[in-house]
DNA sequence: ATAAAAATTGCAAAAAAACGCAAATACCCT
DNA sequence: AGGGTATTTGCGTTTTTTTGCAATTTTTAT
């Protein structure tokens, strides 16, 4: 096998799988690992791939990674937030959970809006407090330090006493079969109650969390009224949810 | 699985869920927990996540606007805070009101202290949350925007259910005749209840507020156990309070 | 206070990389 | 054509990296 052929083969594999392993290439091209290493070395010097211990990665690897981390995510949360605030009307009582998306919504609330927000999330409450016309009610209980929200029996019993018009749920995982799922028992219980006591339930999430699930159920698909992601409502991935009667925004 | 892949996977999970557990990652990536720990270690050294016992937390949710050293505090309040923290012992349940002095105390808590703090003050709660070993319980109710604390019937009834060892009261006015006084009805009621349910009551205030009074009484002089100001305990202005049986610190 | 879980440390085996070298091959020139 | 040169390739050895394991300490939960 000629060097050029090998290079082409490697690049093709790389485009296909975004990564290649030295030993795999060695056996599939029937050359020694040394040769593969030298090939990777050259391609790396040409800037066509990223050489790492054990193989190489495609250039898009870092891109995808960084962009989703620093750029993509905040922007998509802003998009979600701007769609979400349109559901809130003057005089409404709004229950919200925690999470970065919920905080983003809080930052996007129009300044003239007059409403009452009820939440167990400290970061969200801070944003609500900064708003001129919004009343903020904190759900008391012990604070979970990692998520910075209150949760526990007391929080649940308080939520039970509320009849909110709208409930915004920042969610960790959602799929058709399991519904909205969590990995923290206390949080799941509180959210469950939020769903139960609200007229309309709005789930907000970046699309990456669609079709994933975790051990504890918060609510079933049937209990959700709206689903907001950064994608266009007619996106293919959202259609199964639409079929279940959820309004996609 | 390549190391870089694992790192990407971890960061992705972290962006999605804001926290990751070592053992979960270990099983989902099919490597030993040691390897996961080393990965987290490296990512932590790169400043891309916060490593904690059992896993890691995402950067986005932490620190951002929760820095405890935002601005300098007046020296007098620092002095008060340093005297105040000496009263707190491991295992105690501590009720605190709001106010800048209370926040200053929160910032001065020794890192090894293990205690439970109960408060309706959002700024104070934020500081308590930043502490490694402190449990924080928020008293729920409507937030008063100017003072950033919760107050109302619900808050009062919750405070009633607590039997705290210590109560720190940031006060607005105090004099021998009227005791501790306030100008906000709701706040006064909540504080009243805090005083009633705590074993020991500690009033903290800068000396300017000594011998002033406001319309609504929070508690009488006789209910106070400790009074902390930035002044030396033998200062002349404090002697009348000492005579009333208050321990001046 | 005690038991369980997780972190740290040191270590050793395995995998991969680096390096030098020699054989094989390709290339160039007269 | 053929000799000299350069390039390529594979091999053995050494070095580095990675990984998992065991023993110990630290942290956390009960």
């Amino acid at each position: 096998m000629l060097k050029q052929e090998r290079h082409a083969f490697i690049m093709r594999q790389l485009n296909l799988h975004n990564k290649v392993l030295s030993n795999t290439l060695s056996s599939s091209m029937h050359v020694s690992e040394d040769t593969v290493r030298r090939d990777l070395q050259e391609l790396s010097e040409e800037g066509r791939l990223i050489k790492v211990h054990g193989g190489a990665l495609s250039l898009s690897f870092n891109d995808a990674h960084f962009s989703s981390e620093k750029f993509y995510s905040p922007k998509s949360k802003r998009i979600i937030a701007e769609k979400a605030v349109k559901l809130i009307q003057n005089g409404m009582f709004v229950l919200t959970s925690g999470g970065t998306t919920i905080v983003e919504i809080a930052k996007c609330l129009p300044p003239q809006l007059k409403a009452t927000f009820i939440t167990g999330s400290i970061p969200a409450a801070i944003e609500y407090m900064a708003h001129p016309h919004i009343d903020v009610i904190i759900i008391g209980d012990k604070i979970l330090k990692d998520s910075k929200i209150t949760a526990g029996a007391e929080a649940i019993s308080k939520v039970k006493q509320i009849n909110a018009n709208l409930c915004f749920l920042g969610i960790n995982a959602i799929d058709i079969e399991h519904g909205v799922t969590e990995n923290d028992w206390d949080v799941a219980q509180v959210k469950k109650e939020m769903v139960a006591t609200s007229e309309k339930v709005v789930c907000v999430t970046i699309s990456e969390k669609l079709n994933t699930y975790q051990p504890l159920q918060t609510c079933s698909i049937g209990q959700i009224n709206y689903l907001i992601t950064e994608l266009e409502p007619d996106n293919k991935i959202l259609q199964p949810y639409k079929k279940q009667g959820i309004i996609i925004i």
Side-chain angles (χ1 to χ4, degrees), chain A:
Chain A
M1 207 172 188
L2 261 40
K3 192 206 277 201
Q4 289 165 333
E5 287 181 274
R6 291 199 313 269
H7 284 200
F9 181 82
I10 291 170
M11 291 311 295
R12 200 161 56 240
Q13 292 298 312
L14 213 47
N15 286 332
L16 235 48
H17 306 115
N18 280 322
K19 79 160 180 183
V20 289
L21 302 177
S22 300
N23 56 18
T24 310
L25 288 174
S26 159
S27 54
S28 60
M29 298 192 300
H30 307 289
V31 291
S32 76
E33 281 196 43
D34 294 74
T35 305
V36 171
R37 257 191 289 280
R38 275 185 277 249
D39 286 338
L40 295 179
Q41 176 74 31
E42 286 173 38
L43 289 167
S44 166
E45 279 165 10
E46 291 168 26
R48 299 176 62 191
L49 52 74
I50 298 160
K51 197 166 164 300
V52 298
H53 197 96
L57 303 168
S58 79
L59 293 174
S60 61
F61 191 84
N62 265 331
D63 287 352
H65 190 293
F66 271 110
S67 68
S68 82
E69 194 172 328
K70 302 193 167 154
F71 167 76
Y72 189 67
S73 236
K75 192 162 187 180
S76 52
K77 282 177 184 171
R78 168 57 60 102
I79 293 169
I80 294 170
E82 279 163 6
K83 293 194 224 175
V85 295
K86 297 203 176 108
L87 291 174
I88 309 165
Q89 276 151 35
N90 279 335
M92 272 191 173
F93 277 71
V94 185
L95 252 176
T96 76
S97 69
T100 48
T101 310
I102 295 294
V103 172
E104 193 61 37
I105 294 173
K107 287 181 183 164
C108 284
L109 294 172
Q112 351 67 272
L113 180 70
K114 291 181 186 179
T116 304
F117 277 72
I118 307 152
T119 190
S121 161
I122 305 298
I126 291 169
E127 295 301 329
Y128 298 144
M129 282 194 300
H131 190 285
H133 305 303
I134 280 179
D135 284 339
V136 193
I137 294 173
I138 286 270
I139 300 161
D141 208 319
K142 183 167 169 178
I143 293 182
L144 303 181
K145 281 197 181 177
D146 48 5
S147 46
K148 295 185 175 27
I149 62 176
T150 56
E154 166 63 19
I156 292 169
S157 93
K158 277 303 142 225
V159 172
K160 270 197 177 124
Q161 296 166 22
I162 299 164
N163 292 306
N165 303 111
L166 215 53
C167 168
F168 282 103
L169 235 45
I171 65 183
N172 255 320
I174 182 171
D175 76 341
I176 297 285
E177 189 184 346
H178 308 85
V180 177
T181 46
E182 284 284 331
N183 59 8
D184 185 294
W185 200 82
D186 287 319
V187 174
Q189 299 311 307
V190 175
K191 284 189 176 177
K192 234 184 182 110
E193 211 51 54
M194 287 185 169
V195 170
T197 63
S198 300
E199 290 171 16
K200 299 280 179 188
V201 175
V202 186
C203 287
V204 294
T205 182
I206 53 174
S207 60
E208 284 175 279
K209 294 178 186 176
L210 291 172
N211 302 331
T212 66
Y213 68 96
Q214 296 198 321
L216 305 163
Q217 194 192 51
T218 297
C219 76
S220 67
I221 287 290
Q223 296 175 283
I224 304 169
N225 299 104
Y226 298 92
L227 175 62
I228 305 181
T229 74
E230 81 280 11
L231 305 173
E232 293 293 319
D234 55 4
N235 191 294
K236 207 179 90 193
I237 197 173
L238 293 165
Q239 297 320 305
Y241 298 90
K242 200 171 195 170
K243 275 206 190 102
Q244 297 286 323
I246 300 174
I247 299 169
I248 313 292
I249 300 179

